[in-house]
Amino acid sequence: MNYFIKQEKVRFQHIDFAGIVFYPRFLEMLNALVEDWFEEALHRPFHKMHESNGIPTVDLKVQFKKAARLGETLTKELWVKELRSSSLLCGFLFKNQDNETILEGEVTLVNVTIEPDRKTIKSEPFNDETRNKIAFYLMS
């Protein structure tokens, strides 16, 4: 299985008064991981894709396992569990520098087309090129 892996340092902007990552910041970190995966591995950068398409999250499951603290470096991993016609189910895992699991979960993303009026959004199958790139990260 191939993983898409990125590291992120926990910064002051991520933490709450207790000095740990405030849970919505983890979701922003996850979104950044997805965005980086689309740009770096799938060659579909959001700034281009969102002119006429999108990849919204339609389901998200997260388990918070351990607090992350200011100054820690997190390793974020993403892989594909299921690849469907116009959607995919990805697994994700964040670990700290001691290889302890901080959070893990699943996210379902849907490939959509957006009409020029920006009011109509409908699912659209992945093209063959994108499907092949996504399949590289498919769990066997």
Side-chain angles (χ1 to χ4, degrees), residues 38-105:
F38 267 79
E39 182 167 353
E40 296 171 23
L42 307 182
H43 304 108
R44 287 186 71 193
F46 275 26
H47 70 276
K48 292 283 188 192
M49 178 176 46
H50 281 94
E51 292 172 357
S52 60
N53 294 85
I55 193 79
T57 297
V58 298
D59 191 37
L60 177 64
K61 296 176 179 69
V62 181
Q63 291 185 325
F64 301 95
K65 301 290 189 174
K66 185 172 178 59
R69 302 187 179 282
L70 182 62
E72 290 184 330
T73 298
L74 303 180
T75 299
K76 307 182 299 184
E77 301 176 356
L78 180 89
W79 64 94
V80 177
K81 298 176 89 171
E82 293 178 26
L83 175 55
R84 303 177 198 118
S85 172
S86 59
S87 68
L88 61 145
L89 173 66
C90 294
F92 62 88
L93 178 70
F94 289 16
K95 296 179 188 176
N96 64 16
Q97 63 269 5
D98 296 323
N99 208 35
E100 299 169 310
T101 298
I102 300 299
L103 76 146
E104 61 187 355

Side-chain angles (χ1 to χ4, degrees), residues 5-64:
I5 300 172
K6 296 289 281 192
Q7 290 192 322
E8 185 164 353
K9 185 175 182 176
V10 175
R11 299 182 182 279
F12 184 74
Q13 69 188 25
H14 298 129
I15 63 168
D16 62 15
F17 188 70
I20 60 175
V21 174
F22 183 43
Y23 76 92
R25 301 296 87 83
F26 280 126
L27 302 183
E28 292 171 348
M29 290 178 188
L30 172 60
N31 189 72
L33 180 63
V34 169
E35 189 169 343
D36 288 345
W37 180 53
F38 267 79
E39 182 167 353
E40 296 171 23
L42 307 182
H43 304 108
R44 287 186 71 193
F46 275 26
H47 70 276
K48 292 283 188 192
M49 178 176 46
H50 281 94
E51 292 172 357
S52 60
N53 294 85
I55 193 79
T57 297
V58 298
D59 191 37
L60 177 64
K61 296 176 179 69
V62 181
Q63 291 185 325
F64 301 95

